[in-house]
Amino acid sequence: EPEVTQTPSHQVTQMGQEVILRCVPISNHLYFYWYRQILGQKVEFLVSFYNNEISEKSEIFDDQFSVERPDGSNFTLKIRSTKLEDSAMYFCASSPGLASSGANVLTFGAGSRLTVL
Amino acid sequence: SQKIEQNSEALNIQEGKTATLTCNYTNYSPAYLQWYRQDPGRGPVFLLLIRENEKEKRKERLKVTFDTTLKQSLFHITASQPADSATYLCALEEAGGFKTIFGAGTRLFVKA
């Protein structure tokens, strides 16, 4: 079964450092997403991406965050200068979009745990 | 913006019983509502989707209802098993774009 792949599974970084989290979405999916989940809290939407541009973003997704699809397979989330409160699990997700089923069903990766010290 | 409310208290039930989880939303009624399962340290996994014109949807031991008047969905697991122990998330799409939002989830424990 096709899956969304995320790397690294765990990254530890010092406050102020840049971090790049990588994702390989399902190959025929058109929409890509990043979510985060702080320990013990809910899954929070960060950003959605379609046709090489951001479709929606939340208030969490400020100037410190950026996304990119550098080639036909990878989708990355960059945090420019990490803060302690960025410590969380970051999930990438992809979906085929509405056209295939009339509903936007997401397939998630296993997540990248980011620890900021 | 849409708000989703799920019972934050964990639900403890005995194996073989039916688990019922509740999802309430506060604003406009969405075209569809989804349920996902999340195991500790893992990403959510899609389970079921129900559309606004459907009252009930079933998949194996799972049943979902959708009441757009009450702005509520109920998620049932019949003949529950310890392997059903997980957090179950309700999800809706915000109007106007590709932004699926999740409730905080209800943790289910099924005891053998």
Side-chain angles (χ1 to χ4, degrees), chain B residues 2-4 23-26 28 30 32-34 66 90-94 99-103:
Chain B
Q2 188 71 277
K3 284 188 181 174
I4 303 173
C23 172
N24 294 293
Y25 56 93
T26 56
Y28 62 88
Y32 56 88
L33 181 148
Q34 303 179 58
F66 195 10
C90 172
L92 300 173
E93 185 133 334
E94 289 241 324
K99 180 181 177 182
T100 300
I101 60 170
F102 289 82

Side-chain angles (χ1 to χ4, degrees), chain A residues 32-84:
Chain A
F32 315 113
Y33 310 82
W34 284 100
Y35 285 80
R36 80 170 186 191
Q37 187 172 32
I38 295 170
L39 188 64
Q41 297 186 25
K42 68 178 184 180
V43 176
E44 298 177 290
F45 172 84
L46 291 178
V47 65
S48 60
F49 191 87
Y50 169 71
N51 202 24
N52 282 319
E53 60 182 27
I54 290 174
S55 304
E56 296 276 346
K57 61 181 181 178
S58 71
E59 58 275 9
I60 302 168
F61 194 88
D62 61 21
D63 292 345
Q64 291 301 310
F65 290 88
S66 63
V67 288
E68 194 177 35
R69 189 154 162 82
D71 53 44
S73 59
N74 291 284
F75 180 50
T76 63
L77 174 69
K78 181 192 289 187
I79 308 175
R80 288 193 182 83
S81 178
T82 50
K83 306 178 192 130
L84 294 176

Side-chain angles (χ1 to χ4, degrees), chain B residues 7 13-14 21-22 24 28 39 59 73 94 96 101 106 108:
Chain B
N7 193 344
I13 64 167
Q14 202 65 36
L21 287 66
T22 304
N24 294 293
Y28 62 88
D39 290 285
K59 179 182 174 184
S73 174
E94 289 241 324
I101 60 170
T106 299
L108 173 67

